[in-house]
Amino acid sequence: MPLLNDILKFNASFVDNKDYENFITTKKPSAKAVLLTCMDTRLTELSTRALGFKNGDVKVVKNAGATISHPYGSTMRSLLVAIYALGAEEIIIMGHKDCGMGNLDVDSVVKTMKERGITNQTFDIIEHSGINIQNFLGGFSDVTANVKSNIETIYHHPLFDQTVPIHGLVIDPHNGSLEVVQDGYKKLNQLT
Ligand SMILES: [Zn+2]
């Protein structure tokens, strides 16, 4: 795989030239926040730069669709650890327009899997073990509703500290503009 070769070649000079010195920071986020957003390539840098964050300011959790798919999955675990152990005091859930997980065609994904060698028997075994493939791989039709749904999942989590504000945002990957889905401070005021 040429990509790995390129990575290792670059890395050797990166370390030799001490380019890493530009990125030295601490484990604790200086803006005291954790950001959950999408793995979309357009957001690789935009997701933090458009919010005014620089390296070291926030914990960043990324996955397909900025979605908490299970209350005891790795995304929720990351948010809880960020809050309880790594210095985050606020949560930002940021979906984006034109998300690849919006109206994802699961049938098409399954078809591609089968073309690449995953057998019908494997799908049968998975279904019989209680996994619904549509639910497992499925996306969402409305990004704003998805952000709200994620926020509710966190608020209903028994291990969540209800005094932590959760902000909901939707970013436009074309120009970086933000829409506020939920102002976490207002929600906190409603709860108290
Ligand atoms: Zn996305």
Side-chain angles (χ1 to χ4, degrees):
M1 286 287 177
L3 177 60
L4 181 58
N5 294 342
D6 291 346
I7 289 170
L8 296 176
K9 191 176 167 196
F10 175 86
N11 181 253
S13 66
F14 180 88
V15 175
D16 284 347
N17 296 335
K18 298 191 176 180
D19 289 342
Y20 57 84
E21 289 180 346
N22 296 321
F23 303 95
I24 290 173
T25 182
T26 67
K27 279 196 288 188
K28 303 264 171 120
S30 42
K32 296 185 168 54
V34 55
L35 168 68
L36 169 62
T37 191
C38 183
M39 66 183 191
D40 192 296
T41 47
R42 295 168 295 179
L43 300 185
T44 300
E45 291 195 35
L46 191 68
S47 60
T48 47
R49 297 290 179 86
L51 278 59
F53 294 137
K54 60 185 186 310
N55 188 46
D57 279 349
V58 282
K59 295 283 174 201
V60 181
V61 182
K62 291 192 173 187
N63 66 26
T67 296
I68 300 166
S69 55
H70 194 285
Y72 288 93
S74 61
T75 299
M76 191 65 217
R77 179 179 61 169
S78 299
L79 296 178
L80 290 171
V81 169
I83 293 293
Y84 288 112
L86 299 172
E89 296 176 0
E90 307 191 26
I91 295 175
I92 302 164
I93 310 292
M94 185 170 75
H96 69 99
K97 294 179 179 175
D98 190 30
C99 183
M101 291 303 283
N103 295 312
L104 182 76
D105 185 349
V106 175
D107 289 337
S108 171
V109 175
V110 169
K111 183 167 170 279
T112 304
M113 287 174 167
K114 289 180 178 177
E115 285 168 0
R116 293 175 63 158
I118 311 297
T119 63
N120 286 328
Q121 187 188 14
T122 298
F123 283 98
D124 288 344
I125 291 168
I126 291 169
E127 293 278 349
H128 283 128
S129 66
I131 305 291
N132 181 302
I133 288 289
Q134 288 287 337
N135 291 344
F136 174 57
L137 294 173
F140 46 82
S141 55
D142 180 338
V143 64
T144 300
N146 190 55
V147 170
K148 285 181 180 172
S149 167
N150 285 318
I151 291 172
E152 289 307 308
T153 298
I154 301 171
Y155 270 123
H156 288 108
H157 201 287
L159 298 177
F160 180 65
D161 174 353
Q162 300 287 326
T163 66
V164 172
I166 309 172
H167 311 293
L169 301 172
V170 173
I171 190 169
D172 184 335
H174 302 107
N175 62 15
S177 65
L178 296 174
E179 286 175 17
V180 178
V181 175
Q182 179 164 297
D183 176 334
Y185 307 127
K186 285 185 183 165
K187 173 96 174 179
L188 274 190
N189 289 336
Q190 288 164 7
L191 292 172
T192 53

